[in-house]
Amino acid sequence: MDELLLRSLTPSVLAVLVRRGADFAAAEDAVQDALVEAVRVWPGDAPRDPKGWLVTVAWRRFLDATRADASRRRREDRLDEEPEPGPAPAVDDTLQLYFLCAHPSLTPSSAVALTLRAVGGLTTRQIARAYLVPEATMAQRISRAKRTVSGVRFDRPGDVSTVLRVLYLVFNEGYSGDVDLAAEAIRLTRQLAAAIDHPEVAGLLALMLLHHARRASRTGPGGSLVPLAEQDRGRWDTGMIAEGVGILQAALARDRLGEFQAQAAVAALHADAPTAEETDWVQIVEWYDELAGLTDSPVVRLNRAVAVGEADGPRAGLAELAALSDSLPRHTAVAAYLHERAGDLPTAARLYAEAAHKAPTLAERDHLTRQAARLNANLR
């Protein structure tokens, strides 16, 4: 069973059902039923047209569920139609579905959460982690979003900013481990950039390319995390970096700065440095100032504290860090790093161990544990 094929076809099948009049929640349920049936049937009898097969099965499941609901019987005349025979058209509906999920009846945060879950394929836990909220809170938010759009006609697509936010979060999940997911986000952002002349679309595409160019150097043997400062820059994709920088420069020239352009500018400064020691941290702090003004994000301010620690010394970075909540993800890891830079090794070792217990991924936990062990060995 080709799980990647099923995942790639899911958005297109869902889009077909929505366009035919299915409300989003019911369409999603029907598609999930079709996927379960595919897992059962395809190993012994693979269809020649996988998408057409999924559309047919999902539509029938949707009709069955609709007929079983007495309150919806009045809509059977419109719904009771079989898909047209023959292969389904080879159209990529994924980006269109992203826009449809960004429905005006939803708040931007709810639209993003719903799209990530239904189209992006992220788990509720992954989405909650991206939003820095408990998993139960995110589950309730997604459920409310589904109820809100239940029965709504998806004929008014949402705005570009919401779609960009979804693509950004999907890429971040892929960047932290799932390369296929990151590549899919880049593919869709390229499509969007080709269709819409928007500096923030270009900024997001540049940001993705600049980060993705480092993918080969992000991990060591066995999947161990390699920090940016320790990465082998000879393994970075220089062609992808050049493309990202070119796209960014064209976007910045339009003088309509947005958060994705500012983030891309930070990534470009990292990519431009021949070595970690030659990084222009002063400029990076300036771009974080711009970014903080655009977003007022505590995560941005956390990253700015690291940059200040590099530009003006670790004590200055710790002073910036002291103004931020220690409940922020990776706050403890940043504190450990800055204390180590300041020469306070006992405190740094303790904080690295504490940060390891809070790490959101196994790779980060192992990295932080090794950092604590390294310092503790030096203290003996």
Side-chain angles (χ1 to χ4, degrees):
M1 170 59 59
D2 191 337
E3 295 183 6
L4 286 177
L5 174 62
L6 283 177
R7 189 170 73 176
S8 67
L9 289 174
T10 298
S12 293
V13 176
L14 186 56
V16 170
L17 267 64
V18 169
R19 286 202 301 268
R20 288 180 174 174
D23 67 67
F24 191 89
E28 185 184 19
D29 289 342
V31 172
Q32 291 302 316
D33 287 345
L35 293 175
V36 170
E37 185 68 7
V39 171
R40 186 184 71 82
V41 172
W42 286 10
D45 185 19
R48 287 179 294 180
D49 176 21
K51 178 182 174 181
W53 188 97
L54 286 171
V55 168
T56 299
V57 173
W59 187 247
R60 287 172 177 166
R61 294 299 173 90
F62 169 70
L63 292 179
D64 289 343
T66 301
R67 294 190 186 101
D69 188 344
S71 67
R72 297 178 182 176
R73 287 187 180 279
R74 64 183 180 276
R75 302 193 307 190
E76 283 191 351
D77 289 343
R78 175 170 58 86
L79 296 169
D80 195 8
E81 300 174 0
E82 288 289 335
E84 295 179 4
V91 176
D92 184 356
D93 298 297
T94 308
L95 191 56
Q96 180 190 19
L97 195 55
Y98 271 56
F99 273 95
L100 292 176
C101 287
H103 197 272
S105 65
L106 295 173
T107 64
S109 61
S110 294
V112 170
L114 177 62
T115 312
L116 289 173
R117 183 70 186 92
V119 189
L122 273 63
T123 66
T124 303
R125 176 175 298 179
Q126 288 174 312
I127 303 169
R129 188 173 65 204
Y131 270 90
L132 311 181
V133 299
E135 184 176 352
T137 300
M138 183 52 64
Q140 293 173 354
R141 184 180 300 178
I142 294 172
S143 295
R144 285 196 299 270
K146 288 182 179 180
R147 288 196 298 272
T148 299
V149 300
S150 180
V152 171
R153 288 287 295 175
F154 281 76
D155 53 3
R156 289 189 299 151
D159 62 18
V160 175
S161 63
T162 301
V163 174
L164 289 179
R165 179 63 51 188
V166 175
L167 290 168
Y168 174 69
L169 292 174
V170 170
F171 176 81
N172 278 349
E173 284 301 323
Y175 184 67
S176 65
D178 188 336
V179 173
D180 288 331
L181 198 57
E184 173 68 0
I186 291 174
R187 184 184 69 83
L188 293 174
T189 307
R190 284 190 187 279
Q191 285 187 9
L192 189 57
I196 299 177
D197 183 19
H198 192 298
E200 272 294 82
V201 176
L204 179 57
L205 179 57
L207 175 64
M208 290 178 174
L209 293 172
L210 289 164
H211 279 307
H212 206 55
R214 304 198 301 258
R215 70 190 185 279
S217 61
R218 289 200 314 263
T219 56
S224 60
L225 182 67
V226 180
L228 176 60
E230 300 173 18
Q231 289 177 12
D232 179 359
R233 298 183 179 222
R235 300 182 66 195
W236 290 1
D237 187 330
T238 55
M240 193 175 292
I241 290 173
E243 181 186 6
V245 169
I247 292 171
L248 173 63
Q249 289 174 337
L252 291 175
R254 301 178 65 176
D255 198 23
R256 290 169 54 192
L257 184 64
E259 62 174 298
F260 294 124
Q261 295 169 71
Q263 286 191 57
V266 172
L269 287 167
H270 283 298
D272 187 54
T275 65
E277 292 73 22
E278 296 174 87
T279 303
D280 190 342
W281 287 106
V282 173
Q283 274 205 69
I284 288 177
V285 172
E286 292 173 355
W287 276 112
Y288 273 127
D289 287 338
E290 294 278 3
L291 192 53
L294 290 166
T295 68
D296 196 29
S297 163
V299 175
V300 169
R301 296 190 181 279
L302 182 68
N303 292 333
R304 182 184 180 278
V306 176
V308 169
E310 298 288 355
D312 300 329
R315 294 297 176 189
L318 287 167
E320 295 287 336
L321 192 64
L324 302 174
S325 170
D326 60 7
S327 65
L328 279 173
R330 299 182 176 87
H331 183 285
T332 307
V334 170
Y337 173 73
L338 291 173
H339 275 289
E340 180 183 359
R341 292 266 334 276
D344 186 354
L345 302 188
T347 299
R350 175 179 58 79
L351 289 172
Y352 275 130
E354 183 181 333
H357 289 291
K358 301 176 181 178
T361 67
L362 180 61
E364 287 184 57
R365 188 192 70 187
D366 290 347
H367 170 72
L368 292 167
T369 299
R370 287 194 298 272
Q371 296 294 87
R374 173 179 57 81
L375 292 185
N376 283 325
N378 291 335
L379 291 170
R380 292 194 183 101

